[in-house]
Amino acid sequence: MEEETPEKIIERRKGDHVEICANEDLTQDYFYWDDVKLVHNPMPEIDLDEVTTSTTIFGRKLEAPLIISAMTGGYGKAEEINRNLAAAAEEFGIGMGVGSQRAALENPELARTYSVIKEFEVPLRIANLGVPQLIKQGLTAPIGIDDGRAAMEMIDAHLLAIHMNYLQEIVQPEGDTKSRGGLKALETFASALPVIAKETGAGIPKETALRLKKAKVKGLDVGGLGGTSFSAVEYYRAKSAGDTKRANIGKTFWDWGIPTPVAVVVANVGLPIISTGGLRSGLDVARAIVIGAGCAGMAGRLLPAALDSREALTQEIQTIIDELKAAMFLVGAKDVKELAATRALMTGRSKDWLDQLSE
């Protein structure tokens, strides 16, 4: 059998990720967002049709505090998925990120699977590269500032997300597990480009948030535990490949990480926060705003609809925004600023986390 090139391995992996995310159960058995309780206002003194969801984050106005989180790019079907996502982002005036663009930097023929979003007026576009790629991995040279700039130009991005995904990398047979020097490399990027630091499912603790702030990132996407587990994604890939060792590691670390609501609270160090990880509804978006996020990121709920049709995706996002408006009305908040000023109670396992982290 002919040996696969590194580019083909990446392309195959990206296809695997989408298929697994669409067809397998990757969630946990505990819904951390249900730990966040908003306080009902029986006399809101506003009309539902007065409620407005528009907000500004990173200097960009959005019609709702919602970002379609990075999902895909770099393989054939990704172009259609990203086209559907970008069309919806334009229609609703919300943000959008793309999947890791490393594949297109290595194989320019794949750039179209990302750059398709330039066909649409997406008010906040976020490019995407990984911390592991900023560091020399074996014989592979690190990417540089020019590569970061090229990734941004590929989609006319307003921001570059540098993602931290070492939980995923330790399970991948082809994973990049060199980490030493990553923070310094990220700081170098942040000195030249508008960078946000993005976790991909394991959360950001306060100590790391402070280091990232010192590195001059523009914001944080806390990407916490509670949504798609990329350890679980790699478990299914390893299982399919008959790699028992990697499958066992993936299963062991399935539930690893800091729950997203906890990460939103502890990583609040004065930078704008995107709350990604396990959000299922507009109510969860409202909960995220109340506990300190500037915006909420969603992927898992939207991927099946994006694979189905543009119409299905439109219906899904409209429902989320209607749910958000309903939550705002029920707490008496006519806009996002008033929503952020309302009170939430933290209960359950999330409260246990916060209590012990504060000791």
PDB file of all heavy atoms in Angstrom, residues 227-261:
ATOM      1  N   GLY A 227     -19.156  19.879  26.069  1.00  0.00           N
ATOM      2  CA  GLY A 227     -19.657  19.706  24.706  1.00  0.00           C
ATOM      3  C   GLY A 227     -18.957  18.547  24.026  1.00  0.00           C
ATOM      4  O   GLY A 227     -18.718  17.500  24.634  1.00  0.00           O
ATOM      5  N   THR A 228     -18.591  18.752  22.767  1.00  0.00           N
ATOM      6  CA  THR A 228     -17.883  17.712  22.026  1.00  0.00           C
ATOM      7  C   THR A 228     -16.545  17.416  22.685  1.00  0.00           C
ATOM      8  O   THR A 228     -15.731  18.315  22.873  1.00  0.00           O
ATOM      9  CB  THR A 228     -17.653  18.159  20.578  1.00  0.00           C
ATOM     10  OG1 THR A 228     -18.921  18.366  19.944  1.00  0.00           O
ATOM     11  CG2 THR A 228     -16.870  17.111  19.801  1.00  0.00           C
ATOM     12  N   SER A 229     -16.330  16.164  23.043  1.00  0.00           N
ATOM     13  CA  SER A 229     -15.049  15.746  23.603  1.00  0.00           C
ATOM     14  C   SER A 229     -14.154  15.274  22.466  1.00  0.00           C
ATOM     15  O   SER A 229     -14.438  14.264  21.811  1.00  0.00           O
ATOM     16  CB  SER A 229     -15.251  14.604  24.610  1.00  0.00           C
ATOM     17  OG  SER A 229     -14.011  13.995  24.901  1.00  0.00           O
ATOM     18  N   PHE A 230     -13.060  16.011  22.221  1.00  0.00           N
ATOM     19  CA  PHE A 230     -12.160  15.586  21.152  1.00  0.00           C
ATOM     20  C   PHE A 230     -11.334  14.374  21.559  1.00  0.00           C
ATOM     21  O   PHE A 230     -10.802  13.666  20.707  1.00  0.00           O
ATOM     22  CB  PHE A 230     -11.293  16.743  20.678  1.00  0.00           C
ATOM     23  CG  PHE A 230     -11.984  17.578  19.643  1.00  0.00           C
ATOM     24  CD1 PHE A 230     -12.682  18.709  20.010  1.00  0.00           C
ATOM     25  CD2 PHE A 230     -11.980  17.198  18.313  1.00  0.00           C
ATOM     26  CE1 PHE A 230     -13.353  19.468  19.059  1.00  0.00           C
ATOM     27  CE2 PHE A 230     -12.643  17.936  17.354  1.00  0.00           C
ATOM     28  CZ  PHE A 230     -13.330  19.085  17.726  1.00  0.00           C
ATOM     29  N   SER A 231     -11.249  14.120  22.849  1.00  0.00           N
ATOM     30  CA  SER A 231     -10.687  12.852  23.277  1.00  0.00           C
ATOM     31  C   SER A 231     -11.593  11.715  22.822  1.00  0.00           C
ATOM     32  O   SER A 231     -11.131  10.666  22.358  1.00  0.00           O
ATOM     33  CB  SER A 231     -10.528  12.835  24.801  1.00  0.00           C
ATOM     34  OG  SER A 231      -9.931  11.628  25.233  1.00  0.00           O
ATOM     35  N   ALA A 232     -12.901  11.942  22.915  1.00  0.00           N
ATOM     36  CA  ALA A 232     -13.863  10.945  22.438  1.00  0.00           C
ATOM     37  C   ALA A 232     -13.800  10.788  20.921  1.00  0.00           C
ATOM     38  O   ALA A 232     -13.892   9.666  20.393  1.00  0.00           O
ATOM     39  CB  ALA A 232     -15.277  11.335  22.867  1.00  0.00           C
ATOM     40  N   VAL A 233     -13.644  11.915  20.213  1.00  0.00           N
ATOM     41  CA  VAL A 233     -13.506  11.850  18.749  1.00  0.00           C
ATOM     42  C   VAL A 233     -12.340  10.959  18.368  1.00  0.00           C
ATOM     43  O   VAL A 233     -12.452  10.063  17.510  1.00  0.00           O
ATOM     44  CB  VAL A 233     -13.316  13.268  18.161  1.00  0.00           C
ATOM     45  CG1 VAL A 233     -12.950  13.182  16.675  1.00  0.00           C
ATOM     46  CG2 VAL A 233     -14.578  14.099  18.339  1.00  0.00           C
ATOM     47  N   GLU A 234     -11.203  11.187  19.036  1.00  0.00           N
ATOM     48  CA  GLU A 234     -10.021  10.391  18.721  1.00  0.00           C
ATOM     49  C   GLU A 234     -10.158   8.952  19.208  1.00  0.00           C
ATOM     50  O   GLU A 234      -9.550   8.041  18.631  1.00  0.00           O
ATOM     51  CB  GLU A 234      -8.774  11.050  19.309  1.00  0.00           C
ATOM     52  CG  GLU A 234      -8.472  12.436  18.741  1.00  0.00           C
ATOM     53  CD  GLU A 234      -8.278  12.438  17.231  1.00  0.00           C
ATOM     54  OE1 GLU A 234      -7.933  11.378  16.662  1.00  0.00           O
ATOM     55  OE2 GLU A 234      -8.469  13.504  16.610  1.00  0.00           O
ATOM     56  N   TYR A 235     -10.962   8.737  20.238  1.00  0.00           N
ATOM     57  CA  TYR A 235     -11.264   7.362  20.665  1.00  0.00           C
ATOM     58  C   TYR A 235     -11.922   6.596  19.521  1.00  0.00           C
ATOM     59  O   TYR A 235     -11.531   5.459  19.215  1.00  0.00           O
ATOM     60  CB  TYR A 235     -12.181   7.388  21.889  1.00  0.00           C
ATOM     61  CG  TYR A 235     -12.968   6.111  22.097  1.00  0.00           C
ATOM     62  CD1 TYR A 235     -12.374   4.988  22.680  1.00  0.00           C
ATOM     63  CD2 TYR A 235     -14.299   6.013  21.695  1.00  0.00           C
ATOM     64  CE1 TYR A 235     -13.088   3.807  22.854  1.00  0.00           C
ATOM     65  CE2 TYR A 235     -15.017   4.846  21.861  1.00  0.00           C
ATOM     66  CZ  TYR A 235     -14.420   3.742  22.442  1.00  0.00           C
ATOM     67  OH  TYR A 235     -15.136   2.583  22.610  1.00  0.00           O
ATOM     68  N   TYR A 236     -12.915   7.211  18.889  1.00  0.00           N
ATOM     69  CA  TYR A 236     -13.609   6.534  17.796  1.00  0.00           C
ATOM     70  C   TYR A 236     -12.685   6.308  16.599  1.00  0.00           C
ATOM     71  O   TYR A 236     -12.751   5.258  15.940  1.00  0.00           O
ATOM     72  CB  TYR A 236     -14.841   7.340  17.368  1.00  0.00           C
ATOM     73  CG  TYR A 236     -16.008   7.201  18.316  1.00  0.00           C
ATOM     74  CD1 TYR A 236     -16.415   8.261  19.116  1.00  0.00           C
ATOM     75  CD2 TYR A 236     -16.715   6.005  18.411  1.00  0.00           C
ATOM     76  CE1 TYR A 236     -17.493   8.137  19.992  1.00  0.00           C
ATOM     77  CE2 TYR A 236     -17.788   5.871  19.280  1.00  0.00           C
ATOM     78  CZ  TYR A 236     -18.168   6.944  20.072  1.00  0.00           C
ATOM     79  OH  TYR A 236     -19.224   6.810  20.930  1.00  0.00           O
ATOM     80  N   ARG A 237     -11.813   7.277  16.319  1.00  0.00           N
ATOM     81  CA  ARG A 237     -10.869   7.097  15.218  1.00  0.00           C
ATOM     82  C   ARG A 237      -9.915   5.939  15.506  1.00  0.00           C
ATOM     83  O   ARG A 237      -9.655   5.101  14.644  1.00  0.00           O
ATOM     84  CB  ARG A 237     -10.061   8.371  14.989  1.00  0.00           C
ATOM     85  CG  ARG A 237     -10.824   9.514  14.367  1.00  0.00           C
ATOM     86  CD  ARG A 237      -9.889  10.673  14.024  1.00  0.00           C
ATOM     87  NE  ARG A 237      -8.980  10.316  12.945  1.00  0.00           N
ATOM     88  CZ  ARG A 237      -7.679  10.568  12.954  1.00  0.00           C
ATOM     89  NH1 ARG A 237      -7.099  11.127  14.005  1.00  0.00           N
ATOM     90  NH2 ARG A 237      -6.924  10.232  11.922  1.00  0.00           N
ATOM     91  N   ALA A 238      -9.403   5.914  16.739  1.00  0.00           N
ATOM     92  CA  ALA A 238      -8.457   4.859  17.110  1.00  0.00           C
ATOM     93  C   ALA A 238      -9.136   3.497  17.107  1.00  0.00           C
ATOM     94  O   ALA A 238      -8.563   2.499  16.646  1.00  0.00           O
ATOM     95  CB  ALA A 238      -7.870   5.154  18.486  1.00  0.00           C
ATOM     96  N   LYS A 239     -10.354   3.459  17.611  1.00  0.00           N
ATOM     97  CA  LYS A 239     -11.103   2.199  17.638  1.00  0.00           C
ATOM     98  C   LYS A 239     -11.323   1.672  16.228  1.00  0.00           C
ATOM     99  O   LYS A 239     -11.153   0.469  15.954  1.00  0.00           O
ATOM    100  CB  LYS A 239     -12.441   2.411  18.346  1.00  0.00           C
ATOM    101  CG  LYS A 239     -13.268   1.153  18.523  1.00  0.00           C
ATOM    102  CD  LYS A 239     -14.572   1.462  19.263  1.00  0.00           C
ATOM    103  CE  LYS A 239     -15.429   0.204  19.387  1.00  0.00           C
ATOM    104  NZ  LYS A 239     -16.719   0.521  20.056  1.00  0.00           N
ATOM    105  N   SER A 240     -11.690   2.573  15.318  1.00  0.00           N
ATOM    106  CA  SER A 240     -11.923   2.186  13.927  1.00  0.00           C
ATOM    107  C   SER A 240     -10.649   1.664  13.276  1.00  0.00           C
ATOM    108  O   SER A 240     -10.690   0.750  12.442  1.00  0.00           O
ATOM    109  CB  SER A 240     -12.466   3.377  13.136  1.00  0.00           C
ATOM    110  OG  SER A 240     -12.631   3.062  11.778  1.00  0.00           O
ATOM    111  N   ALA A 241      -9.502   2.225  13.679  1.00  0.00           N
ATOM    112  CA  ALA A 241      -8.216   1.825  13.106  1.00  0.00           C
ATOM    113  C   ALA A 241      -7.624   0.608  13.800  1.00  0.00           C
ATOM    114  O   ALA A 241      -6.548   0.133  13.419  1.00  0.00           O
ATOM    115  CB  ALA A 241      -7.240   2.989  13.173  1.00  0.00           C
ATOM    116  N   GLY A 242      -8.308   0.113  14.837  1.00  0.00           N
ATOM    117  CA  GLY A 242      -7.798  -1.039  15.583  1.00  0.00           C
ATOM    118  C   GLY A 242      -6.634  -0.706  16.494  1.00  0.00           C
ATOM    119  O   GLY A 242      -5.883  -1.586  16.905  1.00  0.00           O
ATOM    120  N   ASP A 243      -6.499   0.586  16.841  1.00  0.00           N
ATOM    121  CA  ASP A 243      -5.412   1.040  17.709  1.00  0.00           C
ATOM    122  C   ASP A 243      -5.915   1.013  19.156  1.00  0.00           C
ATOM    123  O   ASP A 243      -6.418   2.012  19.677  1.00  0.00           O
ATOM    124  CB  ASP A 243      -4.982   2.448  17.303  1.00  0.00           C
ATOM    125  CG  ASP A 243      -3.739   2.934  18.042  1.00  0.00           C
ATOM    126  OD1 ASP A 243      -3.420   2.370  19.106  1.00  0.00           O
ATOM    127  OD2 ASP A 243      -3.096   3.878  17.555  1.00  0.00           O
ATOM    128  N   THR A 244      -5.757  -0.124  19.806  1.00  0.00           N
ATOM    129  CA  THR A 244      -6.297  -0.306  21.153  1.00  0.00           C
ATOM    130  C   THR A 244      -5.680   0.649  22.159  1.00  0.00           C
ATOM    131  O   THR A 244      -6.370   1.192  23.028  1.00  0.00           O
ATOM    132  CB  THR A 244      -6.072  -1.758  21.621  1.00  0.00           C
ATOM    133  OG1 THR A 244      -6.677  -2.642  20.668  1.00  0.00           O
ATOM    134  CG2 THR A 244      -6.689  -1.987  22.996  1.00  0.00           C
ATOM    135  N   LYS A 245      -4.371   0.853  22.049  1.00  0.00           N
ATOM    136  CA  LYS A 245      -3.690   1.742  22.992  1.00  0.00           C
ATOM    137  C   LYS A 245      -4.280   3.148  22.942  1.00  0.00           C
ATOM    138  O   LYS A 245      -4.632   3.726  23.989  1.00  0.00           O
ATOM    139  CB  LYS A 245      -2.197   1.795  22.672  1.00  0.00           C
ATOM    140  CG  LYS A 245      -1.420   2.785  23.525  1.00  0.00           C
ATOM    141  CD  LYS A 245       0.038   2.883  23.081  1.00  0.00           C
ATOM    142  CE  LYS A 245       0.779   3.977  23.833  1.00  0.00           C
ATOM    143  NZ  LYS A 245       2.183   4.106  23.396  1.00  0.00           N
ATOM    144  N   ARG A 246      -4.409   3.729  21.749  1.00  0.00           N
ATOM    145  CA  ARG A 246      -4.939   5.079  21.619  1.00  0.00           C
ATOM    146  C   ARG A 246      -6.416   5.130  22.002  1.00  0.00           C
ATOM    147  O   ARG A 246      -6.892   6.108  22.593  1.00  0.00           O
ATOM    148  CB  ARG A 246      -4.747   5.588  20.190  1.00  0.00           C
ATOM    149  CG  ARG A 246      -3.297   5.733  19.779  1.00  0.00           C
ATOM    150  CD  ARG A 246      -2.634   6.907  20.478  1.00  0.00           C
ATOM    151  NE  ARG A 246      -1.202   6.959  20.188  1.00  0.00           N
ATOM    152  CZ  ARG A 246      -0.386   7.877  20.664  1.00  0.00           C
ATOM    153  NH1 ARG A 246      -0.853   8.817  21.454  1.00  0.00           N
ATOM    154  NH2 ARG A 246       0.900   7.842  20.368  1.00  0.00           N
ATOM    155  N   ALA A 247      -7.161   4.089  21.659  1.00  0.00           N
ATOM    156  CA  ALA A 247      -8.573   4.050  22.033  1.00  0.00           C
ATOM    157  C   ALA A 247      -8.733   4.070  23.547  1.00  0.00           C
ATOM    158  O   ALA A 247      -9.608   4.752  24.098  1.00  0.00           O
ATOM    159  CB  ALA A 247      -9.239   2.811  21.442  1.00  0.00           C
ATOM    160  N   ASN A 248      -7.873   3.349  24.245  1.00  0.00           N
ATOM    161  CA  ASN A 248      -7.940   3.321  25.705  1.00  0.00           C
ATOM    162  C   ASN A 248      -7.630   4.696  26.301  1.00  0.00           C
ATOM    163  O   ASN A 248      -8.281   5.137  27.254  1.00  0.00           O
ATOM    164  CB  ASN A 248      -6.971   2.278  26.271  1.00  0.00           C
ATOM    165  CG  ASN A 248      -7.460   0.851  26.067  1.00  0.00           C
ATOM    166  OD1 ASN A 248      -8.652   0.633  25.855  1.00  0.00           O
ATOM    167  ND2 ASN A 248      -6.557  -0.100  26.120  1.00  0.00           N
ATOM    168  N   ILE A 249      -6.619   5.373  25.732  1.00  0.00           N
ATOM    169  CA  ILE A 249      -6.291   6.715  26.220  1.00  0.00           C
ATOM    170  C   ILE A 249      -7.465   7.669  25.977  1.00  0.00           C
ATOM    171  O   ILE A 249      -7.846   8.454  26.855  1.00  0.00           O
ATOM    172  CB  ILE A 249      -5.014   7.245  25.536  1.00  0.00           C
ATOM    173  CG1 ILE A 249      -3.802   6.401  25.937  1.00  0.00           C
ATOM    174  CG2 ILE A 249      -4.773   8.712  25.904  1.00  0.00           C
ATOM    175  CD1 ILE A 249      -2.534   6.759  25.183  1.00  0.00           C
ATOM    176  N   GLY A 250      -8.054   7.587  24.799  1.00  0.00           N
ATOM    177  CA  GLY A 250      -9.196   8.436  24.488  1.00  0.00           C
ATOM    178  C   GLY A 250     -10.359   8.205  25.432  1.00  0.00           C
ATOM    179  O   GLY A 250     -11.005   9.158  25.891  1.00  0.00           O
ATOM    180  N   LYS A 251     -10.629   6.971  25.756  1.00  0.00           N
ATOM    181  CA  LYS A 251     -11.732   6.651  26.662  1.00  0.00           C
ATOM    182  C   LYS A 251     -11.426   7.133  28.072  1.00  0.00           C
ATOM    183  O   LYS A 251     -12.300   7.664  28.775  1.00  0.00           O
ATOM    184  CB  LYS A 251     -11.981   5.144  26.653  1.00  0.00           C
ATOM    185  CG  LYS A 251     -13.255   4.726  27.380  1.00  0.00           C
ATOM    186  CD  LYS A 251     -13.541   3.250  27.154  1.00  0.00           C
ATOM    187  CE  LYS A 251     -14.859   2.853  27.800  1.00  0.00           C
ATOM    188  NZ  LYS A 251     -15.161   1.414  27.573  1.00  0.00           N
ATOM    189  N   THR A 252     -10.183   6.965  28.510  1.00  0.00           N
ATOM    190  CA  THR A 252      -9.790   7.375  29.859  1.00  0.00           C
ATOM    191  C   THR A 252      -9.965   8.880  30.055  1.00  0.00           C
ATOM    192  O   THR A 252     -10.416   9.334  31.113  1.00  0.00           O
ATOM    193  CB  THR A 252      -8.327   6.989  30.129  1.00  0.00           C
ATOM    194  OG1 THR A 252      -8.215   5.566  30.089  1.00  0.00           O
ATOM    195  CG2 THR A 252      -7.857   7.503  31.485  1.00  0.00           C
ATOM    196  N   PHE A 253      -9.632   9.662  29.028  1.00  0.00           N
ATOM    197  CA  PHE A 253      -9.664  11.124  29.164  1.00  0.00           C
ATOM    198  C   PHE A 253     -10.899  11.757  28.530  1.00  0.00           C
ATOM    199  O   PHE A 253     -10.935  12.966  28.299  1.00  0.00           O
ATOM    200  CB  PHE A 253      -8.381  11.721  28.565  1.00  0.00           C
ATOM    201  CG  PHE A 253      -7.166  11.444  29.395  1.00  0.00           C
ATOM    202  CD1 PHE A 253      -6.380  10.319  29.148  1.00  0.00           C
ATOM    203  CD2 PHE A 253      -6.818  12.268  30.449  1.00  0.00           C
ATOM    204  CE1 PHE A 253      -5.265  10.047  29.922  1.00  0.00           C
ATOM    205  CE2 PHE A 253      -5.707  12.013  31.230  1.00  0.00           C
ATOM    206  CZ  PHE A 253      -4.930  10.886  30.977  1.00  0.00           C
ATOM    207  N   TRP A 254     -11.925  10.950  28.295  1.00  0.00           N
ATOM    208  CA  TRP A 254     -13.174  11.410  27.672  1.00  0.00           C
ATOM    209  C   TRP A 254     -13.736  12.626  28.406  1.00  0.00           C
ATOM    210  O   TRP A 254     -14.184  13.589  27.791  1.00  0.00           O
ATOM    211  CB  TRP A 254     -14.179  10.261  27.690  1.00  0.00           C
ATOM    212  CG  TRP A 254     -15.440  10.446  26.927  1.00  0.00           C
ATOM    213  CD1 TRP A 254     -16.396  11.421  27.097  1.00  0.00           C
ATOM    214  CD2 TRP A 254     -15.924   9.625  25.858  1.00  0.00           C
ATOM    215  NE1 TRP A 254     -17.437  11.244  26.228  1.00  0.00           N
ATOM    216  CE2 TRP A 254     -17.177  10.147  25.455  1.00  0.00           C
ATOM    217  CE3 TRP A 254     -15.437   8.476  25.222  1.00  0.00           C
ATOM    218  CZ2 TRP A 254     -17.940   9.570  24.437  1.00  0.00           C
ATOM    219  CZ3 TRP A 254     -16.194   7.903  24.215  1.00  0.00           C
ATOM    220  CH2 TRP A 254     -17.428   8.446  23.823  1.00  0.00           C
ATOM    221  N   ASP A 255     -13.760  12.584  29.740  1.00  0.00           N
ATOM    222  CA  ASP A 255     -14.370  13.640  30.554  1.00  0.00           C
ATOM    223  C   ASP A 255     -13.336  14.585  31.168  1.00  0.00           C
ATOM    224  O   ASP A 255     -13.605  15.255  32.168  1.00  0.00           O
ATOM    225  CB  ASP A 255     -15.218  13.036  31.670  1.00  0.00           C
ATOM    226  CG  ASP A 255     -16.422  12.274  31.127  1.00  0.00           C
ATOM    227  OD1 ASP A 255     -16.929  12.652  30.060  1.00  0.00           O
ATOM    228  OD2 ASP A 255     -16.860  11.311  31.778  1.00  0.00           O
ATOM    229  N   TRP A 256     -12.168  14.663  30.589  1.00  0.00           N
ATOM    230  CA  TRP A 256     -11.101  15.498  31.140  1.00  0.00           C
ATOM    231  C   TRP A 256     -11.379  16.974  30.859  1.00  0.00           C
ATOM    232  O   TRP A 256     -11.798  17.340  29.768  1.00  0.00           O
ATOM    233  CB  TRP A 256      -9.770  15.112  30.507  1.00  0.00           C
ATOM    234  CG  TRP A 256      -8.609  15.946  30.932  1.00  0.00           C
ATOM    235  CD1 TRP A 256      -8.152  17.084  30.329  1.00  0.00           C
ATOM    236  CD2 TRP A 256      -7.751  15.716  32.044  1.00  0.00           C
ATOM    237  NE1 TRP A 256      -7.052  17.573  30.994  1.00  0.00           N
ATOM    238  CE2 TRP A 256      -6.785  16.751  32.058  1.00  0.00           C
ATOM    239  CE3 TRP A 256      -7.698  14.728  33.029  1.00  0.00           C
ATOM    240  CZ2 TRP A 256      -5.786  16.840  33.018  1.00  0.00           C
ATOM    241  CZ3 TRP A 256      -6.693  14.808  33.988  1.00  0.00           C
ATOM    242  CH2 TRP A 256      -5.756  15.853  33.976  1.00  0.00           C
ATOM    243  N   GLY A 257     -11.127  17.810  31.854  1.00  0.00           N
ATOM    244  CA  GLY A 257     -11.178  19.244  31.605  1.00  0.00           C
ATOM    245  C   GLY A 257     -11.947  20.018  32.654  1.00  0.00           C
ATOM    246  O   GLY A 257     -12.512  19.461  33.595  1.00  0.00           O
ATOM    247  N   ILE A 258     -11.941  21.315  32.495  1.00  0.00           N
ATOM    248  CA  ILE A 258     -12.654  22.248  33.364  1.00  0.00           C
ATOM    249  C   ILE A 258     -14.002  22.540  32.724  1.00  0.00           C
ATOM    250  O   ILE A 258     -14.066  22.967  31.563  1.00  0.00           O
ATOM    251  CB  ILE A 258     -11.855  23.555  33.513  1.00  0.00           C
ATOM    252  CG1 ILE A 258     -10.444  23.278  34.046  1.00  0.00           C
ATOM    253  CG2 ILE A 258     -12.590  24.547  34.422  1.00  0.00           C
ATOM    254  CD1 ILE A 258      -9.492  24.446  33.884  1.00  0.00           C
ATOM    255  N   PRO A 259     -15.113  22.325  33.450  1.00  0.00           N
ATOM    256  CA  PRO A 259     -16.433  22.598  32.867  1.00  0.00           C
ATOM    257  C   PRO A 259     -16.536  24.034  32.354  1.00  0.00           C
ATOM    258  O   PRO A 259     -16.000  24.969  32.969  1.00  0.00           O
ATOM    259  CB  PRO A 259     -17.389  22.361  34.046  1.00  0.00           C
ATOM    260  CG  PRO A 259     -16.654  21.421  34.947  1.00  0.00           C
ATOM    261  CD  PRO A 259     -15.209  21.796  34.825  1.00  0.00           C
ATOM    262  N   THR A 260     -17.218  24.211  31.254  1.00  0.00           N
ATOM    263  CA  THR A 260     -17.270  25.536  30.623  1.00  0.00           C
ATOM    264  C   THR A 260     -17.773  26.640  31.542  1.00  0.00           C
ATOM    265  O   THR A 260     -17.151  27.705  31.611  1.00  0.00           O
ATOM    266  CB  THR A 260     -18.111  25.484  29.333  1.00  0.00           C
ATOM    267  OG1 THR A 260     -17.653  24.426  28.507  1.00  0.00           O
ATOM    268  CG2 THR A 260     -17.994  26.794  28.568  1.00  0.00           C
ATOM    269  N   PRO A 261     -18.891  26.458  32.276  1.00  0.00           N
ATOM    270  CA  PRO A 261     -19.324  27.563  33.154  1.00  0.00           C
ATOM    271  C   PRO A 261     -18.267  27.932  34.189  1.00  0.00           C
ATOM    272  O   PRO A 261     -18.102  29.115  34.520  1.00  0.00           O
ATOM    273  CB  PRO A 261     -20.586  27.005  33.829  1.00  0.00           C
ATOM    274  CG  PRO A 261     -21.072  25.929  32.922  1.00  0.00           C
ATOM    275  CD  PRO A 261     -19.842  25.330  32.315  1.00  0.00           C
TER     276      PRO A 261
END
